[in-house]
């Protein structure tokens, strides 16, 4: 798992969040109810070499191979599948009318990479990994539905790109209880020292890194300071 404490890892995670955002929204925005499918298995990785694309030409489907991902990236993506399963939250038309469609609001706030799209084999490989795992996207949407409204609204309030609200997808699979082998914790994966720098108190009874409101405040403070 990447941690918010590392500037270089944050800049790596941000493009992945951008790459996933379009397919995530298209896969989830019209979904209503999904059955609980139970435990998942580890992904089967396609190691066949992909066709090299011509610069500035549309890639073929064979280019979306995970062959471009290194072992560490594949391990991190596989870890996402370990998230707890839960039933998809059913849409409420009255709530949508009152507060608006959150996915549309998220799209409306996009500000990063607004120029000509650049083909990147590694990003296409990441996208291919996600598009082949619709069950995972369904579980992720259900889990993030508890917290995404706050992360999007806070990004809007700060007038920062709403793409940043998608970063917990990569950091923790939107799980406030997530803990990495490097002791990074929470939805935004702060390590203890960086958490304290950004005002996240940590004691035997409370860990601000797992507090959705406080950790989101700290994460946006950190990201806007970069």
């Amino acid at each position: 798992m990447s941690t918010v404490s590392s500037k270089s890892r944050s800049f790596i995670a941000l493009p992945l969040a951008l790459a996933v955002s379009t397919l995530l929204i298209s896969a989830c925005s019209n979904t209503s109810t999904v059955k609980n499918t139970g435990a998942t298995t580890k992904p089967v990785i396609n190691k066949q070499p992909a066709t090299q694309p011509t610069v500035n030409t549309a890639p073929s489907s064979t280019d979306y191979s995970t062959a471009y991902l290194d072992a560490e990236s594949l391990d991190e993506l596989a870890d996402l599948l370990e998230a707890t399963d839960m039933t998809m939250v059913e849409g409420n038309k009255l709530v949508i009318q009152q507060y608006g469609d959150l996915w549309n609001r998220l799209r409306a706030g996009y500000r990063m990479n607004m120029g000509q799209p650049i083909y990147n084999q590694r990003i296409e490989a990441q996208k291919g990994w996600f598009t082949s795992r619709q069950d995972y996207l369904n579980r992720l949407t259900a889990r993030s539905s508890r917290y995404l409204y706050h992360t999007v609204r806070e990004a809007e309030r700060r007038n920062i790109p709403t793409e940043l609200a998608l970063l917990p997808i990569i950091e923790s699979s939107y799980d406030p209880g997530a803990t990495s082998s490097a002791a990074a914790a929470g939805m935004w994966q702060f390590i203890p020292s960086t958490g304290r720098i950004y005002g996240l108190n940590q004691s035997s009874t409370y860990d601000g890194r797992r507090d959705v409101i406080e950790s989101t405040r700290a994460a946006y403070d950190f990201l806007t300071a970069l």
Side-chain angles (χ1 to χ4, degrees):
M1 299 290 287
S2 60
T3 67
V4 174
S5 66
S6 168
K7 292 184 179 180
S8 61
R9 293 301 296 275
S10 294
F11 283 120
I12 292 173
L14 279 171
L16 178 53
L18 295 175
V20 170
S21 62
T22 302
L23 69 94
L24 178 69
I25 289 174
S26 63
C28 303
S29 58
N30 296 322
T31 307
S32 57
T33 305
V34 175
K35 294 182 179 180
N36 187 318
T37 55
T40 60
T41 59
K42 290 289 183 179
V44 176
I45 304 301
N46 175 16
K47 290 292 185 178
Q48 297 299 319
T51 303
Q52 292 292 339
T54 302
V55 178
N56 296 327
T57 60
S60 66
S61 60
T62 58
D63 293 325
Y64 304 153
S65 169
T66 54
Y68 295 108
L69 303 182
D70 56 31
E72 182 180 1
S73 295
L74 291 173
D75 288 343
E76 290 180 356
L77 290 171
D79 287 343
L80 295 177
L81 293 176
E82 300 300 321
T84 303
D85 197 1
M86 60 187 291
T87 302
M88 177 66 67
V89 177
E90 187 172 4
N92 186 315
K93 292 184 179 180
L94 293 178
V95 173
I96 293 176
Q97 289 177 359
Q98 182 178 359
Y99 296 104
D101 188 312
L102 186 58
W103 296 111
N104 287 338
R105 286 175 57 179
L106 182 63
R107 272 193 295 261
Y110 279 13
R111 297 183 187 176
M112 304 172 70
N113 194 29
M114 296 297 288
Q116 184 68 24
I118 300 175
Y119 176 81
N120 183 291
Q121 292 175 339
R122 187 177 178 85
I123 291 176
E124 295 303 324
Q126 299 275 8
K127 288 168 61 178
W129 189 93
F130 279 93
T131 55
S132 65
R133 291 164 177 83
Q134 182 64 47
D135 287 347
Y136 166 72
L137 293 178
N138 293 339
R139 299 196 308 277
L140 172 63
T141 304
R143 189 182 314 105
S144 65
S145 68
R146 295 178 173 181
Y147 319 112
L148 192 62
Y149 177 75
H150 173 71
T151 56
V152 171
R153 185 178 61 175
E154 182 65 9
E156 291 173 334
R157 187 187 70 81
R158 290 172 176 249
N159 196 30
I160 60 178
T162 52
E163 293 99 317
L164 296 177
L166 297 173
L167 189 54
I169 293 174
I170 309 305
E171 292 287 357
S172 66
S173 196
Y174 250 106
D175 181 6
T179 304
S180 77
S181 58
M187 200 165 68
W188 295 92
Q189 289 290 282
F190 277 99
I191 62 172
S193 58
T194 307
R196 285 189 287 269
I197 291 173
Y198 285 88
L200 297 177
N201 296 326
Q202 300 158 56
S203 68
S204 59
T205 57
Y206 172 77
D207 190 342
R209 298 175 300 165
R210 302 186 190 280
D211 184 318
V212 172
I213 294 176
E214 275 299 293
S215 65
T216 298
R217 185 270 309 159
Y220 286 161
D221 285 348
F222 172 81
L223 292 169
T224 53
L226 293 178

